Amino acid sequence: MDLKTLREVAQMSDPVERARILSRLMTEEQGLVTEAAKMRRQAIAEARESGMSLEEIAGRLGVSPGRISQMRRGPAARAPEGPASPAPRVLVQRALPTEPAVRGSKSLFLAEAERQGLKADRRMLYVGLEPASDHVAACLRVEPGAEIVARRKMMLANDVPVRIATSYFRADLFGDTRLAEPEFVQPSLQSALTALGYTFGHAEENLTARPPTPFERETLELEPSEWIVQVLRASYSTEGTPIHVLETICAANRHIFPIGQVSGYDEF
């Protein structure tokens, strides 16, 4: 099932037939997820039999050893094989709107976590072209499905995954720049954008709470009942050009969102 198929189904005039086909697609999708999970358990078992430790496998997959244990057990798991303990609870702040001093730092997350006394880390998950989702396309002012540059990272606090942060850029503007290269941009994305001749004009931030996608649940190691909070920040140059869209997927029960009032406009 892909976005094109869903859009075709959405155009069907008969609502009952539309619902029937959507139900079938959801069932097929769940079947694929179940089979993929089974195949993944087999792959992890083969890696273990070859002599790899859980820590080595976790490092290769970019997840924690505890998450590897969960993958091995599967949905029908009983008691854990060893003295496994749940990931410790952490609370990370995500200020709204983002403070300018934090925005211009090496990493928004690293700067915030350092202020809070947390051990922070980040891992690059993906850098490359991908089709723009509807909400990101609207911010970048491109057609949905158009190829855009994506830079996706996972953020950890005290070794617990707390966020997935993805920076999106228009491929026609930044596809041939270092923003499309796989390494972390040094010293920061902000300095790279300034070096390319763009001056910050304004930004718009929106917050949405929703259930996670399968990818978000897997990556953030969420329980079935847990939700995420999506913070979408779209930044524009002084000329109004859409420069940078940052989508932050936050594990809801691991975050606090301090919200500040704009100075000079306070009222009781």
Side-chain angles (χ1 to χ4, degrees):
M1 179 169 59
D2 54 27
L3 188 58
K4 180 181 178 181
T5 301
L6 288 177
R7 286 176 176 160
E8 290 175 351
V9 175
Q11 299 302 317
M12 297 181 64
S13 59
D14 186 337
V16 176
E17 180 66 10
R18 189 163 66 242
R20 185 187 67 79
I21 292 180
L22 287 170
S23 295
R24 176 175 59 80
L25 290 173
M26 292 169 66
T27 300
E28 292 174 353
E29 186 78 6
Q30 184 57 49
L32 289 174
V33 171
T34 300
E35 184 63 22
K38 178 181 176 181
M39 295 170 67
R40 182 177 62 185
R41 289 195 297 273
Q42 180 179 351
I44 292 173
E46 291 178 10
R48 289 285 287 153
E49 290 171 1
S50 70
M52 293 184 67
S53 67
L54 293 181
E55 289 74 16
E56 290 173 325
I57 299 172
R60 290 278 300 276
L61 295 182
V63 299
S64 68
R67 182 57 184 150
I68 296 297
S69 295
Q70 293 176 348
M71 292 177 183
R72 294 173 67 198
R73 293 196 300 268
R78 297 184 181 181
E81 298 178 8
S85 58
R89 178 179 174 83
V90 293
L91 282 176
V92 184
Q93 292 186 10
R94 172 62 166 91
L96 294 170
T98 308
E99 296 179 36
V102 174
R103 196 67 247 158
S105 63
K106 174 182 177 182
S107 164
L108 182 152
F109 173 73
L110 295 180
E112 288 182 326
E114 182 179 351
R115 289 184 178 184
Q116 299 162 50
L118 296 170
K119 173 190 171 185
D121 193 12
R122 57 180 182 165
R123 299 174 186 170
M124 189 66 74
L125 299 179
Y126 173 79
V127 178
L129 297 176
E130 67 180 40
S133 61
D134 289 352
H135 61 286
V136 173
C139 293
L140 289 177
R141 299 173 189 162
V142 299
E143 290 296 321
E147 283 197 333
I148 57 174
V149 177
R151 302 181 57 86
R152 184 167 295 110
K153 302 178 290 292
M154 178 171 66
M155 311 301 191
L156 301 98
N158 293 349
D159 298 320
V160 178
V162 293
R163 296 181 198 168
I164 304 167
T166 307
S167 290
Y168 296 103
F169 305 92
R170 287 177 50 159
D172 59 335
L173 298 178
F174 301 102
D176 294 326
T177 72
R178 62 190 178 116
L179 296 181
E181 297 176 357
E183 299 81 10
F184 285 103
V185 178
Q186 302 295 341
S188 69
L189 284 177
Q190 307 303 314
S191 62
L193 290 169
T194 301
L196 289 169
Y198 295 99
T199 302
F200 175 78
H202 74 282
E204 302 167 2
E205 287 186 281
N206 291 284
L207 183 148
T208 305
R210 59 171 173 79
T213 66
F215 169 77
E216 293 163 352
R217 179 178 290 109
E218 286 275 336
T219 305
L220 293 175
E221 302 176 14
L222 302 176
E223 296 298 327
S225 61
E226 292 186 73
W227 276 37
I228 60 93
V229 172
Q230 171 187 292
V231 181
L232 190 68
R233 176 185 170 90
S235 297
Y236 301 87
S237 70
T238 50
E239 291 78 23
T241 304
I243 299 302
H244 177 208
V245 172
L246 176 63
E247 180 185 61
T248 309
I249 304 299
C250 305
N253 66 344
R254 302 171 199 169
H255 279 79
I256 296 176
F257 299 91
I259 299 175
Q261 176 65 38
V262 178
S263 177
Y265 293 88
D266 296 330
E267 293 185 7
F268 290 107

